[in-house]
Amino acid sequence: MHLVVRRYRPSDKDAVLTLFCDGILEHINPSFYNAISNPVNVGVTLFLSMAGYMLGGGSTLWGLLSAGAWVGLVYYCCRQLYASFVRERLRTDMQDIPGCYLSHPDNCFWVAETEVNGWVEILGMVAVVAKKVVGGRDGEMCGELFRMIVSSKCRRTGLGSRMTQTVIDFCKERGFSKVVLETSSIQTSAVALYKKLGFSHILSHTKTYSPEWMTTISRVTILKMEKVI
């Protein structure tokens, strides 16, 4: 598969938004499986099952309903975590990609495309925004990597590494001191890729676009990583 990485064009918008939504929402099920198998959530499931059984006068149905309600809540929290992120991004930067990522020479947005049966298909995207380094030297800048999505059609082809390296090279050319990014603990393949390319995990937090209690139930942590260049 021959893939070409190039700057975003306005005509790419529909394909890019579709890939973005699919790429983010695909994390819902892995997030749910991770959350429901967490020891705390397993304990809550068992407790509610037993409580429902006892309060229902020994009814197995009440036990199953109680546990099922909790499992449903866990899934809802995992879904909302990613769905709320998508809604916010579609309302803001992804609605105006040229204005947010291409109106300044130190920002950029790339897509990866290939030709399939005579049709051009976008299979990847990534963006970078220049930011001042907090607490850094006067004028010290870094590039923050955003919107890294690789289609499931071309995983394990090296496209993720290639697009990340595109961002790193872009930042080097502009004299930035480092590249920073955030990803979720669920995205284990992405974390492994970034580490392979020299990124280090510097801190974790749980600030998302969902209420804090939903983030807690979903057991998702946001990882901040950086690479000094």
Side-chain angles (χ1 to χ4, degrees):
M1 181 183 293
H2 178 64
L3 289 159
V4 176
V5 177
R6 60 166 175 79
R7 279 170 60 96
Y8 171 91
R9 294 193 290 254
S11 59
D12 300 326
K13 184 175 181 179
D14 289 344
V16 163
L17 292 184
T18 297
L19 179 60
F20 171 71
C21 293
D22 292 345
I24 298 299
L25 296 179
E26 73 175 6
H27 299 306
I28 293 172
N29 285 342
S31 175
F32 169 67
Y33 298 142
N34 176 74
I36 204 63
S37 61
N38 179 273
V40 173
N41 286 341
V42 169
V44 173
T45 304
L46 294 174
F47 172 79
L48 291 175
S49 178
M50 291 300 298
Y53 176 81
M54 295 175 67
L55 293 173
S59 169
T60 302
L61 177 60
W62 275 102
L64 291 174
L65 288 175
S66 299
W70 170 251
V71 171
L73 177 62
V74 173
Y75 180 81
Y76 174 76
C77 290
C78 293
R79 181 173 183 78
Q80 282 299 109
L81 189 75
Y82 291 98
S84 61
F85 175 79
V86 168
R87 285 194 298 270
E88 179 63 18
R89 298 277 59 90
L90 292 180
R91 188 183 66 82
T92 53
D93 63 296
M94 294 301 287
Q95 196 57 235
D96 182 18
I97 293 173
C100 292
Y101 297 105
L102 300 176
S103 61
H104 191 283
D106 286 342
N107 303 339
C108 200
F109 194 109
W110 298 269
V111 298
E113 68 175 14
T114 190
E115 190 172 304
V116 180
N117 298 323
W119 293 89
V120 173
E121 187 172 359
I122 291 178
L123 298 175
M125 71 178 76
V126 70
V128 66
V129 172
K131 294 189 174 182
K132 290 183 178 180
V133 176
V134 178
R137 304 182 305 273
D138 287 345
E140 184 179 2
M141 302 291 289
C142 69
E144 184 162 5
L145 183 153
F146 287 105
R147 313 295 168 256
M148 167 67 87
I149 302 286
V150 174
S151 170
S152 58
K153 296 179 182 179
C154 57
R155 302 273 166 81
R156 301 183 184 280
T157 63
L159 180 58
S161 296
R162 184 177 169 187
M163 300 198 76
T164 305
Q165 191 61 49
T166 297
V167 171
I168 294 170
D169 292 343
F170 180 87
C171 293
K172 282 182 178 178
E173 290 171 4
R174 280 151 181 78
F176 296 168
S177 63
K178 57 187 175 181
V179 180
V180 299
L181 62 88
E182 287 190 342
T183 189
S184 73
S185 56
I186 298 301
Q187 295 166 256
T188 53
S189 295
V191 173
L193 167 66
Y194 295 137
K195 287 183 176 179
K196 183 178 179 180
L197 292 174
F199 285 81
S200 300
H201 174 208
I202 56 174
L203 62 86
S204 301
H205 66 83
T206 55
K207 296 177 182 177
T208 68
Y209 291 102
S210 296
E212 188 172 350
W213 66 270
M214 284 190 177
T215 306
T216 299
I217 290 176
S218 67
R219 301 291 165 179
V220 171
T221 302
I222 307 302
L223 311 178
K224 186 165 186 176
M225 307 180 75
E226 72 173 27
K227 175 183 174 69
V228 177
I229 52 177

